[in-house]
Amino acid sequence: MGCFWGPELRYQRVPGVVTTETGYTNGGAESVTYEEVCSGRTGFAEVVQMRYDPSEVTFSDLLEVFWQGHDPTTLNQQGGDRGTQYRSGIFTHSDAQLEEAQLSMELKQLEFGGNITTEIAPVENYCPAESYHQQYLAK
């Protein structure tokens, strides 16, 4: 979804989202810094991890926010943000989330003409972004 600041603010505004945290995931190390991620050599993606109240918002609702919030057909870029760290990705915490995300993408393929480049995978090697990145646009 590009730089994590915009998506984080978008999810903060969703009723039922309790907390958000920007971070990095699915790269080749156990921890990483922003500068290392920006080098394009770590494999990490900028992400927003969130906790939500399922009695107020469903995972399906959050997926819809994801699909509406960016162009999933552009590989490794959103607007002016370019690089593998800006790839479109849904990184899940359970098999159920993984299956729901994959089904959601299959349905969206029709809407986007079959050109979706979104990566869907379990979360691996997640680490929070530096404190100055947290709630950046809400400050």
Side-chain angles (χ1 to χ4, degrees), residues 4 8 12 17 19-24 47-51 126-130 133-135:
F4 44 35
E8 181 186 36
Q12 287 170 346
V17 171
T19 63
T20 60
E21 178 182 71
T22 57
Y24 316 107
V47 296
V48 178
Q49 181 163 255
M50 67 198 84
R51 296 195 191 290
Y126 174 81
C127 48
E130 295 79 359
H133 285 297
Q134 305 302 328
Q135 289 78 47

Side-chain angles (χ1 to χ4, degrees), residues 26-29 32-33 35-45 84-85:
N26 289 49
V32 71
T33 66
E35 289 74 20
E36 291 168 333
V37 170
C38 287
S39 76
R41 294 186 301 260
T42 66
F44 279 89
T84 57
Q85 71 269 28

Side-chain angles (χ1 to χ4, degrees), residues 89-104:
I90 301 170
F91 303 99
T92 62
H93 290 279
S94 70
D95 290 341
Q97 285 183 345
L98 184 68
E99 290 176 27
E100 190 168 350
Q102 289 169 334
L103 177 60
S104 174

